[in-house]
Amino acid sequence: MATILVADDDESFRVYLVTILKQAGHTVLEAEDGQSAMERFAASPVDLIITDIFMPKMDGIDLLSALLMDRPQTRVIAISGGYKAMSSQLTLEMARSFGAMDIITKPFQAATVLQKVTQALESE
Amino acid sequence: MNAHAEYQELTDQQKLIDMRQELEGGFQTVIRHYQAGILHRPEKIRQAVRDNDAERVSMESHSMKSVCRQVGLMNMGEMAARLETIGNAGDLSGAEELIERLIASSVTANHELTRFCTGMELPKPFFSRAAHDE
């Protein structure tokens, strides 16, 4: 089982993701924005990060950029419901271009999350 | 329209049924967090509208949209999406009426979510908010 950091400013989504992942046997850390996620990751590196894209202080794209510049092997899954003129798909494709290894569109199902987490953890 | 007809906010119950199956014992805890967001976030949007803060209207409405869609409140998700668009445009004309509708819907939605979680049947047939307003 892995240690996973979940970054989302919305508490309900954070609790949902944490519950899914803990039920699957993972150890889960939480962050409410990109800045907190960076701090948590610096203090204790994890196997995988699941991050929302649009968050206050530091958004998911900035988090991705900072993380992957420092530790290029970091596994990141981006999650979003789209924002402003960007559809969720366009937003998440942007996240992929910044280095996210997979993407999840809100709303999502637990099975989708777990499947993508397993794939990410099994990847080299 | 029948005066006793009820519209229903929880228009996609399958999302909750799936969630309940997937989360099992964790469902009640998770749904309580969603209910809290559905009840309290519209007030944050209203305050942002009163402060004429379009950026905040957009951000809060964006979150509200995602929360609503996750638990099957599709009409409310659409209202929040419209508020997000209004916020993005920077002109908050029309936002006040929409936010009042969203607040009214959030109270109904909260009752419906509670009914669903306690196994009570929701009223049928139902009408969408859009149909109800016509």
Side-chain angles (χ1 to χ4, degrees), chain A residues 9-17 19-20 23 52 54-56 80-86 105-112, chain B residues 14-15 18-19 22-27 29-30 33-34 37 41 55 58-59 62-67 69-71 74 84 88:
Chain A
D9 59 315
D10 192 295
E11 190 183 15
S12 42
F13 278 103
R14 221 168 50 237
V15 170
Y16 186 19
L17 287 167
T19 304
I20 294 167
Q23 279 186 181
D52 185 27
F54 295 102
M55 298 183 287
S80 181
Y83 187 53
K84 296 202 168 178
M86 295 173 73
T105 306
K106 290 179 180 176
F108 54 79
Q109 289 191 305
T112 305
Chain B
Q14 192 58 46
K15 286 202 162 45
D18 291 343
M19 235 172 147
E22 290 169 330
L23 290 170
E24 297 174 355
F27 177 72
T29 302
V30 170
H33 280 86
Y34 278 97
R41 200 172 290 276
E55 181 68 25
S58 174
M59 280 289 283
H62 168 72
S63 295
M64 184 71 185
K65 174 188 73 178
S66 294
V67 166
R69 288 176 176 171
Q70 185 66 46
V71 294
M74 308 315 274
E84 183 184 354
N88 292 340

Side-chain angles (χ1 to χ4, degrees), chain A residues 15-51:
Chain A
V15 170
Y16 186 19
L17 287 167
V18 168
T19 304
I20 294 167
L21 295 168
K22 281 187 174 172
Q23 279 186 181
H26 299 295
T27 300
V28 190
L29 306 177
E30 298 178 56
E32 59 192 24
D33 56 55
Q35 191 176 309
S36 302
M38 277 297 289
E39 290 165 4
R40 296 219 69 164
F41 185 74
S44 171
V46 296
D47 301 302
L48 173 69
I49 297 172
I50 300 177
T51 182

Side-chain angles (χ1 to χ4, degrees), chain B residues 75-119:
Chain B
N75 294 330
M76 286 178 64
E78 187 55 37
M79 276 191 263
R82 286 170 59 192
L83 279 163
E84 183 184 354
T85 303
I86 288 171
N88 292 340
D91 176 3
L92 299 182
S93 315
E96 282 195 24
E97 185 196 345
L98 202 48
I99 186 61
E100 295 310 320
R101 284 175 56 194
L102 188 64
I103 286 170
S105 293
S106 71
V107 175
T108 307
N110 186 50
H111 287 308
E112 290 176 3
L113 289 171
T114 300
R115 286 174 74 107
F116 179 91
C117 292
T118 53

Side-chain angles (χ1 to χ4, degrees), chain A:
Chain A
M1 290 296 111
T3 300
I4 300 171
L5 172 59
V6 172
D8 197 318
D9 59 315
D10 192 295
E11 190 183 15
S12 42
F13 278 103
R14 221 168 50 237
V15 170
Y16 186 19
L17 287 167
V18 168
T19 304
I20 294 167
L21 295 168
K22 281 187 174 172
Q23 279 186 181
H26 299 295
T27 300
V28 190
L29 306 177
E30 298 178 56
E32 59 192 24
D33 56 55
Q35 191 176 309
S36 302
M38 277 297 289
E39 290 165 4
R40 296 219 69 164
F41 185 74
S44 171
V46 296
D47 301 302
L48 173 69
I49 297 172
I50 300 177
T51 182
D52 185 27
I53 296 300
F54 295 102
M55 298 183 287
K57 294 186 184 173
M58 177 189 256
D59 67 27
I61 297 296
D62 287 343
L63 173 64
L64 262 169
S65 304
L67 281 172
L68 296 177
M69 187 181 296
D70 196 35
R71 296 177 196 240
Q73 301 307 315
T74 309
R75 298 178 177 99
V76 181
I77 295 176
I79 192 162
S80 181
Y83 187 53
K84 296 202 168 178
M86 295 173 73
S87 67
S88 54
Q89 200 55 38
L90 191 58
T91 302
L92 290 167
E93 287 306 331
M94 181 173 73
R96 205 194 282 274
S97 74
F98 274 82
M101 67 188 312
D102 211 337
I103 55 177
I104 297 172
T105 306
K106 290 179 180 176
F108 54 79
Q109 289 191 305
T112 305
V113 174
L114 292 175
Q115 181 192 13
K116 286 177 182 281
V117 164
T118 301
Q119 286 170 354
L121 292 171
E122 286 174 353
S123 67
E124 289 298 321

